[in-house]
CSV table of all heavy atoms in Angstrom, one decimal:
chain,number,residue,atom,x,y,z
A,33,ARG,N,197.4,75.2,59.7
A,33,ARG,CA,196.1,75.8,59.7
A,33,ARG,C,195.9,76.8,58.6
A,33,ARG,O,194.8,76.9,58.0
A,33,ARG,CB,195.8,76.4,61.1
A,33,ARG,CG,194.4,77.0,61.3
A,33,ARG,CD,194.3,77.7,62.6
A,33,ARG,NE,194.4,76.7,63.7
A,33,ARG,CZ,195.3,76.8,64.7
A,33,ARG,NH1,196.2,77.8,64.7
A,33,ARG,NH2,195.3,75.9,65.6
A,34,ASP,N,196.9,77.7,58.4
A,34,ASP,CA,196.7,78.7,57.4
A,34,ASP,C,196.6,78.1,56.0
A,34,ASP,O,195.9,78.5,55.2
A,34,ASP,CB,197.9,79.7,57.4
A,34,ASP,CG,197.9,80.5,58.7
A,34,ASP,OD1,196.9,80.6,59.3
A,34,ASP,OD2,199.0,81.1,59.0
A,35,PHE,N,197.4,77.0,55.8
A,35,PHE,CA,197.4,76.3,54.5
A,35,PHE,C,196.0,75.7,54.2
A,35,PHE,O,195.4,75.8,53.2
A,35,PHE,CB,198.4,75.2,54.4
A,35,PHE,CG,198.3,74.3,53.2
A,35,PHE,CD1,198.6,74.7,52.0
A,35,PHE,CD2,197.7,73.1,53.4
A,35,PHE,CE1,198.5,73.9,50.9
A,35,PHE,CE2,197.5,72.2,52.3
A,35,PHE,CZ,197.9,72.7,51.0
A,36,LEU,N,195.5,75.0,55.3
A,36,LEU,CA,194.2,74.4,55.1
A,36,LEU,C,193.0,75.4,54.9
A,36,LEU,O,192.1,75.2,54.2
A,36,LEU,CB,193.9,73.5,56.3
A,36,LEU,CG,194.8,72.2,56.4
A,36,LEU,CD1,194.6,71.5,57.8
A,36,LEU,CD2,194.5,71.3,55.3
A,37,LYS,N,193.1,76.5,55.6
A,37,LYS,CA,192.1,77.5,55.5
A,37,LYS,C,192.2,78.1,54.0
A,37,LYS,O,191.1,78.3,53.4
A,37,LYS,CB,192.4,78.7,56.5
A,37,LYS,CG,191.3,79.8,56.4
A,37,LYS,CD,191.5,80.8,57.5
A,37,LYS,CE,190.5,81.9,57.4
A,37,LYS,NZ,190.7,82.9,58.4
A,38,THR,N,193.4,78.3,53.5
A,38,THR,CA,193.5,78.8,52.1
A,38,THR,C,192.9,77.8,51.1
A,38,THR,O,192.2,78.1,50.2
A,38,THR,CB,195.0,79.1,51.8
A,38,THR,OG1,195.5,80.0,52.7
A,38,THR,CG2,195.1,79.6,50.4
A,39,ALA,N,193.2,76.5,51.4
A,39,ALA,CA,192.7,75.4,50.5
A,39,ALA,C,191.2,75.4,50.5
A,39,ALA,O,190.5,75.3,49.5
A,39,ALA,CB,193.2,74.1,50.9
A,40,ALA,N,190.6,75.6,51.7
A,40,ALA,CA,189.1,75.5,51.8
A,40,ALA,C,188.5,76.8,51.1
A,40,ALA,O,187.5,76.7,50.5
A,40,ALA,CB,188.7,75.5,53.3
A,41,PHE,N,189.2,77.9,51.3
A,41,PHE,CA,188.8,79.1,50.6
A,41,PHE,C,188.6,78.9,49.1
A,41,PHE,O,187.6,79.3,48.5
A,41,PHE,CB,189.8,80.2,50.9
A,41,PHE,CG,189.3,81.6,50.9
A,41,PHE,CD1,189.4,82.3,52.1
A,41,PHE,CD2,188.8,82.2,49.8
A,41,PHE,CE1,188.9,83.6,52.1
A,41,PHE,CE2,188.3,83.5,49.8
A,41,PHE,CZ,188.4,84.2,51.0
A,42,ALA,N,189.7,78.3,48.5
A,42,ALA,CA,189.6,78.0,47.1
A,42,ALA,C,188.5,77.1,46.7
A,42,ALA,O,187.9,77.2,45.7
A,42,ALA,CB,191.0,77.5,46.7
A,43,ALA,N,188.3,76.1,47.6
A,43,ALA,CA,187.2,75.1,47.3
A,43,ALA,C,185.9,75.8,47.3
A,43,ALA,O,185.0,75.5,46.4
A,43,ALA,CB,187.2,74.0,48.4
A,44,LEU,N,185.6,76.7,48.2
A,44,LEU,CA,184.3,77.4,48.3
A,44,LEU,C,184.2,78.2,47.0
A,44,LEU,O,183.1,78.3,46.4
A,44,LEU,CB,184.2,78.3,49.5
A,44,LEU,CG,183.7,77.6,50.8
A,44,LEU,CD1,183.9,78.5,52.0
A,44,LEU,CD2,182.3,77.2,50.6
A,45,GLY,N,185.2,78.9,46.6
A,45,GLY,CA,185.2,79.7,45.4
A,45,GLY,C,184.8,78.9,44.1
A,45,GLY,O,184.3,79.4,43.2
A,46,SER,N,185.1,77.6,44.2
A,46,SER,CA,184.8,76.7,43.0
A,46,SER,C,183.5,76.1,43.2
A,46,SER,O,183.1,75.2,42.4
A,46,SER,CB,185.9,75.7,42.9
A,46,SER,OG,187.2,76.3,42.8
A,47,GLY,N,182.7,76.4,44.3
A,47,GLY,CA,181.5,75.8,44.5
A,47,GLY,C,181.5,74.4,45.1
A,47,GLY,O,180.6,73.6,45.1
A,48,LEU,N,182.7,74.0,45.7
A,48,LEU,CA,182.9,72.7,46.3
A,48,LEU,C,182.6,72.8,47.8
A,48,LEU,O,182.8,73.8,48.4
A,48,LEU,CB,184.3,72.2,46.1
A,48,LEU,CG,184.7,72.1,44.6
A,48,LEU,CD1,186.2,71.7,44.5
A,48,LEU,CD2,183.9,71.0,43.9
A,49,ALA,N,182.2,71.7,48.4
A,49,ALA,CA,182.0,71.6,49.8
A,49,ALA,C,183.4,71.5,50.5
A,49,ALA,O,184.3,70.8,50.0
A,49,ALA,CB,181.2,70.4,50.2
A,50,VAL,N,183.6,72.3,51.5
A,50,VAL,CA,184.9,72.4,52.2
A,50,VAL,C,185.4,71.0,52.7
A,50,VAL,O,186.5,70.7,52.6
A,50,VAL,CB,184.9,73.4,53.4
A,50,VAL,CG1,186.1,73.3,54.2
A,50,VAL,CG2,184.7,74.8,52.8
A,51,ASN,N,184.4,70.2,53.2
A,51,ASN,CA,184.9,68.9,53.8
A,51,ASN,C,185.4,68.0,52.7
A,51,ASN,O,186.0,66.9,53.0
A,51,ASN,CB,183.8,68.3,54.6
A,51,ASN,CG,182.6,67.9,53.8
A,51,ASN,OD1,182.3,68.6,52.9
A,51,ASN,ND2,181.9,66.9,54.2
A,52,ASN,N,185.2,68.3,51.4
A,52,ASN,CA,185.8,67.5,50.4
A,52,ASN,C,187.3,67.7,50.3
A,52,ASN,O,188.0,66.9,49.7
A,52,ASN,CB,185.2,67.8,49.0
A,52,ASN,CG,183.8,67.2,48.9
A,52,ASN,OD1,183.4,66.3,49.7
A,52,ASN,ND2,183.0,67.8,48.0
A,53,VAL,N,187.8,68.8,50.8
A,53,VAL,CA,189.2,69.1,50.7
A,53,VAL,C,190.0,68.3,51.7
A,53,VAL,O,191.1,68.0,51.5
A,53,VAL,CB,189.4,70.7,50.9
A,53,VAL,CG1,190.9,71.0,50.9
A,53,VAL,CG2,188.6,71.5,49.9
A,54,PHE,N,189.3,68.0,52.8
A,54,PHE,CA,190.0,67.4,53.9
A,54,PHE,C,189.7,65.9,54.0
A,54,PHE,O,188.6,65.5,53.7
A,54,PHE,CB,189.6,68.0,55.3
A,54,PHE,CG,189.8,69.5,55.3
A,54,PHE,CD1,188.8,70.4,55.2
A,54,PHE,CD2,191.1,70.0,55.5
A,54,PHE,CE1,189.0,71.8,55.2
A,54,PHE,CE2,191.3,71.4,55.6
A,54,PHE,CZ,190.3,72.2,55.4
A,55,ALA,N,190.6,65.1,54.4
A,55,ALA,CA,190.3,63.7,54.7
A,55,ALA,C,189.5,63.6,56.0
A,55,ALA,O,188.8,62.6,56.2
A,55,ALA,CB,191.6,62.9,54.8
Side-chain angles (χ1 to χ4, degrees):
R33 182 183 296 121
D34 292 342
F35 169 77
L36 290 171
K37 181 174 179 179
T38 302
F41 208 116
L44 274 171
S46 303
L48 301 174
V50 171
N51 62 329
N52 288 339
V53 179
F54 303 103

